[in-house]
Amino acid sequence: MTDSETPTWDQLLELITRLDEGGLTEATVRLGDLTVQLSKGAPLSARQATPSNVSADSGTTTSTPSEADVAAQERPVAAPRDPDDAPAGTPVPSPILGVFYRASSPGGDPFVTEGDQVDADRTIGIIEVMKMMNPVTAGVSGRILSFAVADGEAVQFGQPLAYVDETQ
């Protein structure tokens, strides 16, 4: 990839995997005009997560974040659960990081509720990433036991979103 190319999601996921396997807790990587900041465990501080002006030598600048960007950065991220406290059932992990919603629109009916029977391909929620809505499917057939995160909560990759009883 040259400096002028924008990385693909697959390339960014590969970068995250490599950094995770390397044992780093925080890293900032510049790919052309894109800067990626990663933090394992604690969220980046507001100073680190806020874009700053680039030097005049590069000829490019970034703008200050909008109110929506700042609000998204301040949204609390769910704390990881202790495995001993996890409910019974098969976890439905988050396929990506973002904000989890149980309904397609604010105030709308949820895709599923606790006690609903689901097939593996049934949508149980959506995750918003960069203004794009990504469906989350159950991945297994069974009955929804519980949701591990609240509607509108920021979630991490692999974090359990819900638990399914596959025996039912």
Side-chain angles (χ1 to χ4, degrees):
M1 175 170 57
T2 66
D3 284 346
S4 64
E5 291 181 48
T6 301
T8 65
W9 278 112
D10 289 335
Q11 290 169 322
L12 290 174
L13 289 174
E14 175 67 21
L15 174 64
I16 292 168
T17 301
R18 286 185 182 191
L19 290 173
D20 187 43
E21 291 171 351
L24 297 175
T25 57
E26 192 170 298
T28 301
V29 179
R30 181 171 293 268
L31 303 167
D33 63 348
L34 175 70
T35 300
V36 178
Q37 295 179 325
L38 304 168
S39 177
K40 186 176 183 180
L44 294 169
S45 71
R47 183 186 59 76
Q48 292 170 316
T50 303
S52 60
N53 286 337
V54 178
S55 69
D57 297 336
S58 69
T60 60
T61 59
T62 58
S63 61
T64 57
S66 69
E67 288 182 30
D69 291 336
V70 172
Q73 289 172 0
E74 294 174 356
R75 186 182 308 267
V77 175
R81 284 185 178 251
D82 181 351
D84 295 335
D85 293 340
T90 303
V92 177
S94 173
I96 53 178
L97 62 89
V99 179
F100 179 73
Y101 296 103
R102 292 182 55 188
S104 61
S105 62
D109 291 334
F111 291 103
V112 296
T113 59
E114 287 87 351
D116 285 356
Q117 287 293 129
V118 295
D119 292 324
D121 60 350
R122 174 89 181 263
T123 299
I124 65 161
I126 52 177
I127 296 180
E128 177 185 8
V129 181
M130 298 176 62
K131 305 297 180 200
M132 294 188 63
M133 301 301 176
N134 302 278
V136 178
T137 59
V140 295
S141 295
R143 183 177 56 86
I144 299 285
L145 293 174
S146 64
F147 280 89
V149 296
D151 187 50
E153 188 172 332
V155 296
Q156 300 294 319
F157 171 78
Q159 177 181 350
L161 302 175
Y163 290 90
V164 177
D165 181 356
E166 292 186 76
T167 61
Q168 302 209 358

